[in-house]
Amino acid sequence: MANSAQARKRARQAVKARALNISLRSRLRTAIKAVRKAVVAGDKQVAQQVFVASQSTIDSIADKKIIHKNKAARHKSRLSAAIKAMGAVAAA
């Protein structure tokens, strides 16, 4: 375990940072689930509105380096594709 004062402080900081990272990652997952839920419900307008709101959440979490920027881009791309596919299904 941490013996020096500096090591103990670093351990305390790590605990706080981990708690913050966990809450931010949870917010990310909730935002993604909200878009998926709107897509499953079948209302494209609502899905687009929820997607716009979740984009800022995804980007902000990527900016804080909780997730990699490419992972954020992949999530946004797949959610956007799911919303676009709703229009194709409705038109067919």
Side-chain angles (χ1 to χ4, degrees):
M1 184 64 201
N3 289 326
S4 69
Q6 182 180 5
R8 285 193 299 271
K9 179 177 179 180
R10 190 65 217 145
R12 286 194 311 270
Q13 289 174 331
V15 169
K16 288 181 185 177
R18 183 171 184 270
L20 179 63
N21 290 346
I22 288 170
S23 75
L24 290 173
R25 195 171 293 117
S26 175
R27 191 185 313 168
L28 169 76
R29 291 180 183 137
T30 302
I32 292 169
K33 287 177 191 174
V35 176
R36 288 189 183 145
K37 185 176 178 182
V39 169
V40 170
D43 191 352
K44 188 170 183 176
Q45 292 294 338
V46 172
Q48 286 175 332
Q49 291 172 351
V50 173
F51 176 64
V52 169
S54 69
Q55 272 184 311
S56 65
T57 301
I58 293 170
D59 286 334
S60 113
I61 290 171
D63 288 342
K64 293 173 185 167
K65 299 184 180 173
I66 306 301
I67 62 169
H68 195 274
K69 62 180 181 168
N70 291 355
K71 181 174 181 172
R74 183 172 63 244
H75 278 301
K76 291 190 303 183
S77 175
R78 289 180 181 169
L79 292 173
S80 177
I83 293 170
K84 287 181 184 177
M86 290 174 65
V89 171

